Amino acid sequence: MIETAAMICLGIGILFNTLGVIGILRFPDVYTRLHAETKMTTFGTIFLALGVILYAGGMLAGTGDNQYLTIAIHTAIALIALAFTNATGSHAIARAAHRSGQLPDPSVVDRLAEVKSND
Amino acid sequence: MNDIFFIAIAALGLLILFAALRLAIGPTAPDRVVALDTINTLIVGAMILLAVYLKQTIFVDVAIVYALLSFLGTIAISKYIGGEL
Amino acid sequence: MIRFLATTIATFVAYLFLTAGSGTIILWSESELIIGLILAIIVGIASYRIFCRTGSLRMANPIRLILLPVYAIIPLFIEMARANIDVAIRVITGNVKPGIVRVNTGMKTDLGMLLLANSITLTPGTLSVDVDDTTRELYVHLINVPDELREKNVVEARELFSFFNIPGWIRRIAE
């Protein structure tokens, strides 16, 4: 039962990771690629880690081995670190891309460039 | 169950190859940084899965340190591209 | 002194999480507890100036510390799922109308700005690009700009989200 739930989580994770990589290859400019990268791979990796936590919890209840408790707690810590650092890192990349003079290529409105040209 | 972990790790490896395609062809430097960031995230996921597949707890610790260090690398490259370094 | 204590306790709790399951005193062994305490004191002395910059203990309030995981699990996760399905459909169909808009946040503290910028990046088809430190305005890249947002000069942060009042939650946690 719990193994089936872990399997479904792994499947969802791989699906979203695949869509994220397709998005990186398909989208037209760097900002839309960042959308695909940040959201989809973070969400996919959260589901992969959830699958691992479920599996480790099931094995812990089954065998009582302390090793699985360690795996579950450390995976949760890795998950928190990953979610925070991914969002902040993508913010840094977007800011650097706009500072280096790369404007959003198909765009309907760009308030930041208007503010910068007024200075 | 172990076979499923192996299939998931193989799929992540394949995805890393496709992301490396964007790393190679990306027309500008920020595109390449985006591809590098994707590869880092996928490697962290693959390491967590490998820890369960090989039953080695130490892999998850390596994954935590890898996530934090790759974040520092991304920040450093972004500052360099943005002209703040 | 209070800043040093807060840093030491936070470091010690992080160490306890990383070494859970090593021994018999509840979950930890004796040597891990002693070494963890010594390391936490060293880290506290070295880094309390960076960890607690202002000396205000707003985040030590237990209600805020409980609300933070609740916020991360329920409203943020549901908004993330909606945003991911939205972006997944756009990946397959290739239908995008991107643009950068200016968002008024109304946050008063740096931590609130950090949480809101990260939430915006993770949730609804939006991505924080730049921040104005003096007026606390964010410049946000939207993957699909609706017509009513295109005309406005400044957008309120509440209008970006669909189900939950995310800025209200963050104000309750961080301010």
Side-chain angles (χ1 to χ4, degrees):
Chain A
M1 177 58 209
I2 207 157
E3 289 204 344
T4 321
M7 218 153 70
I8 291 170
C9 277
L10 286 185
I12 295 173
I14 293 287
L15 173 73
F16 274 104
N17 273 338
T18 313
L19 283 169
V21 172
I22 293 173
I24 287 178
L25 292 174
R26 230 190 110 148
F27 273 157
D29 74 329
V30 63
Y31 299 98
T32 41
R33 274 174 211 147
L34 264 175
H35 275 287
E37 190 265 325
T38 316
K39 289 194 232 322
M40 313 285 275
T41 56
T42 308
F43 200 64
T45 311
I46 284 177
F47 265 99
L48 286 183
L50 269 184
V52 169
I53 290 174
L54 277 179
Y55 175 75
M59 292 298 274
L60 178 69
T63 62
D65 191 351
N66 252 350
Q67 187 191 5
Y68 289 107
L69 178 71
T70 314
I71 285 185
I73 292 177
H74 286 207
T75 307
I77 292 174
L79 194 61
I80 295 167
L82 198 70
F84 254 95
T85 59
N86 243 343
T88 317
S90 85
H91 182 170
I93 298 171
R95 182 182 153 95
H98 211 283
R99 276 181 170 239
S100 73
Q102 210 185 16
L103 299 177
D105 188 5
S107 82
V108 293
V109 58
D110 190 349
R111 302 275 179 219
L112 183 55
E114 289 167 18
V115 169
K116 275 187 182 167
S117 62
N118 284 343
D119 287 344
Chain B
M1 194 65 197
N2 250 345
D3 292 340
I4 292 158
F5 280 115
F6 184 76
I7 292 169
I9 294 165
L12 282 180
L14 209 63
L15 289 180
I16 289 173
L17 277 185
F18 279 114
L21 196 63
R22 176 52 79 188
L23 187 69
I25 64 175
T28 60
D31 286 314
R32 292 172 210 264
V33 186
V34 172
L36 192 68
D37 208 33
T38 315
I39 291 176
N40 286 332
T41 313
L42 292 178
I43 284 179
V44 172
M47 270 186 187
I48 293 174
L49 289 182
L50 270 175
V52 183
Y53 178 63
L54 298 175
K55 298 191 172 46
Q56 297 280 324
T57 315
I58 197 79
F59 272 53
V60 190
D61 301 323
V62 179
I64 297 172
V65 176
Y66 188 92
L68 296 177
L69 283 183
S70 74
F71 168 63
L72 282 187
T74 307
I75 294 284
I77 299 173
S78 306
K79 290 249 176 197
Y80 175 66
I81 291 172
E84 294 173 81
L85 204 67
Chain C
M1 189 62 202
I2 199 94
R3 295 196 289 170
F4 162 70
L5 269 182
T7 313
T8 305
I9 291 171
T11 315
F12 191 52
V13 169
Y15 190 88
L16 289 186
F17 270 116
L18 277 171
T19 55
S22 61
T24 50
I25 309 174
I26 311 178
L27 280 175
W28 297 275
S29 67
E30 211 172 303
S31 51
E32 290 280 11
L33 288 175
I34 294 169
I35 290 178
L37 198 58
I38 294 171
L39 284 178
I41 289 173
I42 292 172
V43 172
I45 291 171
S47 67
Y48 72 92
R49 288 182 202 83
I50 304 167
F51 190 75
C52 296
R53 247 179 230 173
T54 54
S56 91
L57 290 173
R58 224 183 306 105
M59 282 314 287
N61 185 346
I63 298 173
R64 296 177 195 273
L65 287 179
I66 294 168
L67 267 179
L68 187 61
V70 170
Y71 162 71
I73 290 171
I74 301 169
L76 187 65
F77 195 76
I78 292 174
E79 288 275 354
M80 264 181 90
R82 194 195 70 87
N84 273 284
I85 292 164
D86 184 55
V87 177
I89 291 168
R90 288 183 199 287
V91 166
I92 293 165
T93 60
N95 166 26
V96 292
K97 265 195 300 180
I100 295 181
V101 299
R102 189 167 158 191
V103 174
N104 179 25
T105 59
M107 295 289 157
K108 294 187 208 64
T109 59
D110 284 345
L111 183 69
M113 286 298 284
L114 171 75
L115 278 177
L116 184 70
N118 275 1
S119 302
I120 279 178
T121 301
L122 283 177
T123 49
T126 49
L127 177 75
S128 334
V129 175
D130 211 339
V131 55
D132 191 333
D133 280 328
T134 53
T135 59
R136 298 207 183 269
E137 280 170 338
L138 280 174
Y139 293 92
V140 173
H141 183 269
L142 269 78
I143 200 168
N144 187 40
V145 187
D147 289 334
E148 67 265 22
L149 293 190
R150 201 182 306 171
E151 309 299 329
K152 288 186 193 167
N153 196 15
V154 179
V155 178
E156 288 298 320
R158 176 70 186 84
E159 296 174 49
L160 295 174
F161 301 92
S162 57
F163 297 138
F164 292 92
N165 185 3
I166 299 273
W169 274 86
I170 290 173
R171 213 164 286 135
R172 216 170 302 149
I173 290 170
E175 295 189 349

